Amino acid sequence: MSSFGFSDEEILRYSRQMLLPEVGGAGQRKLAEARVAIVGAGGLGSPSALYLAAAGVGRLTVIDSDEVDLSNLQRQVLHAAADVGRPKADSARDRMAAINPGVRVEAVKARLELSNARGLLAGHDVVLEGSDNFDTKFAVNDTCVALGIPVVHGGVLRFTGQVFTTIPGKSACYRCVFEEPPAPGSIPSCAVAGVIGPVPGIIGCFQAGEAVKLLVGCGEPLAGRILEVDLLAGSVRTIAVRPRRGCPACAAAPPR
């Protein structure tokens, strides 16, 4: 075995990122020992899952209750035509294992709700939220803030996408910004309004990058900043956000 407990094959596999002074062998060891949950194996979860598996994150949990549909394949690159009708969590697990057999992937075929969120998310080091409904987004946020787990939020619609990171007790959470879920039907979904495939690819990659930074402990996470991408305009901007006084989620955050 070589330094930091990696085999020669592992050093070769991860060599390009271990060359980075911000990562190195110590950072790669942190990734190998980390546990990350990915909520949603769709447009956002697809690139996130692929890149985190490829990066060598040791344990990955994919949580999704849906099955692969033909309409998913335009953007959900975890899945192939042969996977239509399969549970997305199973399809994701198999694809991630094919990319990197050295990581452990748990497929959870369940819809994350407030009633089961704590049981599904506890024990993870970082959570990536890429769901397509607001009830799940708020359940992930409130649970992660209460547990003290950093969470990377993502959302897309049409040609635009947003990503930002919550570090409980230190930065604004999803509820600080949006307060309450919108009324049903007030905001169109991608199934109604559409989405161009590369947008969730871009946002999902940002989410994976945020997770790596948080796990390794390098760079500046998007905590207190929302990064917004507009592919149609070819623009990227960041919007500062602050913790909201009286936010019920943040009030439950453990002290840091």
Side-chain angles (χ1 to χ4, degrees):
M1 299 293 288
S2 302
S3 60
F4 296 98
F6 293 114
S7 66
D8 291 341
E9 181 179 341
E10 289 172 320
I11 289 176
L12 180 60
R13 175 184 283 271
Y14 305 122
S15 60
R16 296 303 187 270
Q17 64 193 32
M18 290 175 71
L19 286 170
L20 298 169
E22 295 86 354
V23 179
Q28 190 64 46
R29 174 50 54 194
K30 290 179 181 178
L31 294 177
E33 295 175 351
R35 187 180 180 196
V36 175
I38 301 168
V39 182
L44 294 168
S46 286
S48 298
L50 292 171
Y51 276 106
L52 291 179
V57 174
R59 292 182 294 170
L60 293 156
T61 305
V62 180
I63 304 167
D64 197 302
S65 63
D66 290 340
E67 295 181 348
V68 180
D69 184 81
L70 188 62
S71 66
N72 301 149
L73 303 185
Q74 163 256 2
R75 64 202 176 282
Q76 298 182 18
V77 294
L78 264 176
H79 316 294
D83 296 314
V84 171
R86 294 186 67 200
K88 288 184 180 179
D90 286 348
S91 173
R93 178 199 57 213
D94 293 349
R95 181 73 184 280
M96 294 159 73
I99 288 174
N100 190 350
V103 301
R104 292 169 52 192
V105 183
E106 180 183 1
V108 178
K109 289 168 279 189
R111 180 184 176 92
L112 188 146
E113 301 173 330
L114 193 58
S115 60
N116 65 6
R118 181 177 286 264
L120 292 175
L121 300 179
H124 290 88
D125 299 297
V126 176
V127 172
L128 270 61
E129 186 282 306
S131 62
D132 60 359
N133 70 89
F134 287 101
D135 287 342
T136 297
K137 289 180 181 295
F138 278 88
V140 170
N141 176 81
D142 294 354
T143 301
C144 285
V145 171
L147 292 173
I149 302 172
V151 53
V152 185
H153 305 275
V156 296
L157 189 67
R158 300 190 178 101
F159 289 89
T160 64
Q162 295 180 333
V163 57
F164 82 102
T165 294
T166 293
I167 300 178
K170 296 184 66 176
S171 67
C173 76
Y174 193 85
R175 193 176 286 277
C176 285
V177 179
F178 299 105
E179 297 194 26
E180 298 291 339
S186 61
I187 297 179
S189 66
C190 290
V192 173
V195 62
I196 192 74
V199 170
I202 293 167
I203 299 301
C205 285
F206 264 107
Q207 288 184 278
E210 286 290 288
V212 169
K213 289 192 300 182
L214 290 167
L215 295 170
V216 171
C218 68
E220 292 293 331
L222 286 166
R225 296 179 293 154
I226 297 175
L227 185 142
E228 184 178 81
V229 175
D230 185 333
L231 198 63
L232 196 60
S235 64
V236 179
R237 64 170 180 162
T238 56
I239 305 165
V241 291
R242 294 182 178 180
R244 178 170 58 86
R245 186 183 298 273
C247 171
C250 288
R256 296 181 68 90

